[in-house]
Amino acid sequence: MKKIFIFIFLLSFISQAQAYDCQFDKIKPGVNKKDLEEINLFLPRNQEGINGIPIIAEQICSDDTREIMGLVLELTFFDDKLIKVNYINTLSISTILFDISNNDYKTNFKRNQQQVEKKQSEFYDTTINNNSYFYVLLKDKNRQQEYLEINSDKDSEKLDKFLLQIEETQ
C-alpha cells in the first residue's frame, strides 16, 4: 500500500514538473520554417533578409495551456532560417521561462538563492551548441518581468549588421 502512494506521488510530481505540452525545444536557432511545420507552426516563406514574426505560445501547444498563458515569442529569421528567439512572459505572477529554459533547452540554470530571498533581479546565461541563452527575471517591489533570449552565435553578426543598417538610415 505504501508503494502505491509513493508511485502516485511521483506520478503527480512528474506531471506537474512539465504540465504544458509544447515543443519549445524545436524552436531554436538553426531550424528553418519548414522544420517548424512539424510542430504546427506555419509561417510565411520566401521573405528575404531579416524579419521578425511574433507568435503566442498557445498556437503551438496542445492540451491545457493555462501554464503558458501570456507567453509571447518573437522569432527572428534570416531568409527562412531561425537565428534568434525571444520569449516574453507577460504575466508577472509566474516564472515559467526559467522552467522552459531548463526543461526544454537543458540550460541547467541554478537559481541564486540569495537573490531570490532578497527579491532581487536574476540574470543567467550559458552557451550550448553555438547558441547563447540569456534568462532575465526583473523584479521591482511586487512586480516582475521575465525574458528568455536564444541567439545563434554563428548568425548574430548578420543580425547586428542589419540592425546597424537600420540605425544608420534613420
Side-chain angles (χ1 to χ4, degrees), residues 121-123 136-140 143-147:
S121 296
E122 300 172 53
F123 305 88
V136 178
L137 178 61
L138 299 175
K139 297 178 183 177
D140 181 30
R143 290 197 58 208
Q144 64 183 29
Q145 189 71 46
E146 188 182 33
Y147 302 93

Side-chain angles (χ1 to χ4, degrees), residues 28-163:
K28 60 186 170 198
V31 301
N32 60 41
K33 291 179 182 179
K34 181 78 173 156
D35 296 331
L36 294 174
E37 290 176 3
E38 295 174 11
I39 59 170
N40 296 320
L41 187 56
F42 298 92
L43 304 167
R45 287 222 181 97
N46 300 327
Q47 294 180 344
E48 291 185 16
I50 306 255
N51 53 73
I53 301 172
I55 63 168
I56 56 174
E58 289 95 345
Q59 286 179 255
I60 57 169
C61 301
S62 58
D63 297 331
D64 187 5
T65 58
R66 283 180 288 179
E67 196 170 336
I68 50 96
M69 190 99 64
L71 197 58
V72 177
L73 290 82
E74 176 74 31
L75 307 179
T76 304
F77 289 89
F78 182 72
D79 297 333
D80 273 353
K81 181 182 174 187
L82 185 61
I83 61 171
K84 182 178 180 181
V85 182
N86 282 335
Y87 287 86
I88 303 167
N89 183 358
T90 61
L91 299 178
S92 64
I93 56 174
S94 77
T95 55
I96 187 66
L97 291 180
F98 189 84
D99 296 333
I100 289 171
S101 68
N102 280 327
N103 296 334
D104 294 282
Y105 294 108
K106 310 297 185 219
T107 57
N108 202 27
F109 291 145
K110 303 279 188 239
R111 284 220 128 91
N112 181 326
Q113 287 305 315
Q114 290 178 335
Q115 288 177 313
V116 173
E117 290 168 8
K118 292 179 181 179
K119 297 185 179 184
Q120 295 176 330
S121 296
E122 300 172 53
F123 305 88
Y124 307 103
D125 65 88
T126 191
T127 301
I128 302 169
N129 297 328
N130 294 317
N131 290 326
S132 294
Y133 296 81
F134 304 97
Y135 171 83
V136 178
L137 178 61
L138 299 175
K139 297 178 183 177
D140 181 30
K141 297 179 183 163
N142 291 332
R143 290 197 58 208
Q144 64 183 29
Q145 189 71 46
E146 188 182 33
Y147 302 93
L148 174 63
E149 181 177 290
I150 308 166
N151 288 314
S152 166
D153 294 341
K154 292 182 201 175
D155 298 311
S156 64
E157 193 173 307
K158 293 176 190 173
L159 182 60
D160 291 342
K161 283 182 183 178
F162 177 76
L163 294 174

